[in-house]
Every structure is written in structure tokens, then in C-alpha cells.
Amino acid sequence: MLEGAGYVRIKVDAELQKVLERCKSDKVISPFIIHRVPLNKRGRKTKYLKEHWTQIDRQYLTLAFKEALIKSNAYPGYASKQMPTFHEIRALAIFLHKKAGRSAQALAGHTTAAMTEKYASGHEVIWNDVDIGIVLPFA
């Protein structure tokens, strides 16, 4: 458990239950929805000193998301660096939940509103109307 992280309890409806069942289709018993059987260079199972041996490391989700984007060809013509990252998509979801009047902080599991605001900021275009003080003659 990361220090300062909040717990999130999500209501499981029929659609989410289908997704959860797909996460269990690998027959690996794990306390984590997103998990994996770690392999060493020879393709053998290994165990890590984590909360549970099926727990993914911090970079795994980010890298797997990028790999899925590339394989799906969701952004044809985009260079790898131009594609949205997992955290950019997460930040957009937080912004959209906040805009819809839902608790984005609860969804994100942030313990402070300031952290949620940091993720939510930067998605809405703010226009500044400026009078430059120049009058051009009509031709």
C-alpha cells in the first residue's frame, strides 16, 4: 500500500462484473484484478518481494498500455511519443468526472483535493479576451 493513497470502493454492476470475470480467465488466483505471472528471461515463473507474487510493478501498466495502443493501431500515423499515455487518459477521466459533477477525488483514490485538481487541470481551453488597442482604418 502506498503511503497517502486512498481506498476506492466501486459499485460492481452487471457490465463491470463481465470485465472482472475476463480478468479471472487466466485461472491465476490473485487478490489483484490486474495481475500477471512474472517470468524470468528463460520464461520460467519467478517470485518478487511484493505484497503478492502476482502484483505488477509500477511501470508495467504504463508500458502494457503503450504496447496495446501500438498493437491496436488506434493512432495510425502517430509516432510513439505522440500517443496518449495511461496517465493522460486517467487525468482526462478525472477531468470528465469532475465536469459531470461526480466525485473525481473518490474515483482517483486521492487523499487530497489538491492532487485531484492537479490531474484535472489542463483539459479545458480557457480563452483570455484581450483588447490590443489598435484601430485599423477600413480600406
Side-chain angles (χ1 to χ4, degrees):
M1 175 77 182
L2 295 175
E3 187 172 314
Y7 290 98
V8 177
R9 183 176 294 149
I10 299 172
K11 180 182 175 185
V12 178
D13 61 12
E15 288 299 308
L16 182 54
Q17 185 61 45
K18 289 178 191 175
V19 172
L20 294 174
E21 291 302 320
R22 288 178 57 195
C23 292
K24 294 180 186 178
S25 67
D26 61 5
K27 308 293 188 220
V28 174
I29 298 172
S30 175
F32 299 98
I33 295 169
I34 300 171
H35 60 271
R36 69 186 287 251
V37 176
L39 303 173
N40 65 17
K41 290 181 182 180
R42 295 183 183 143
R44 296 182 185 146
K45 293 180 186 178
T46 61
K47 292 190 178 186
Y48 293 102
L49 298 175
K50 298 179 184 177
E51 186 177 321
H52 191 269
W53 64 275
T54 61
Q55 183 177 2
I56 61 172
D57 61 35
R58 293 177 181 221
Q59 290 300 311
Y60 180 80
L61 192 56
T62 299
L63 296 172
F65 182 81
K66 177 67 96 179
E67 185 178 312
L69 273 183
I70 292 168
K71 283 183 179 179
S72 71
N73 200 29
Y75 295 91
Y78 280 57
S80 179
K81 291 182 178 183
Q82 294 174 313
M83 294 180 193
T85 66
F86 173 79
H87 291 285
E88 288 171 333
I89 298 295
R90 183 173 187 257
L92 179 58
I94 289 169
F95 167 75
L96 293 173
H97 266 72
K98 183 178 174 186
K99 190 173 179 179
R102 297 189 183 113
S103 176
Q105 184 176 342
L107 173 72
H110 295 150
T111 54
T112 65
M115 179 56 78
T116 305
E117 189 55 40
K118 180 179 174 182
Y119 268 85
S121 66
H123 293 282
E124 193 160 352
V125 175
I126 300 171
W127 292 93
N128 294 307
D129 294 323
V130 179
D131 181 358
I132 59 172
I134 298 173
V135 179
L136 298 175
F138 289 101

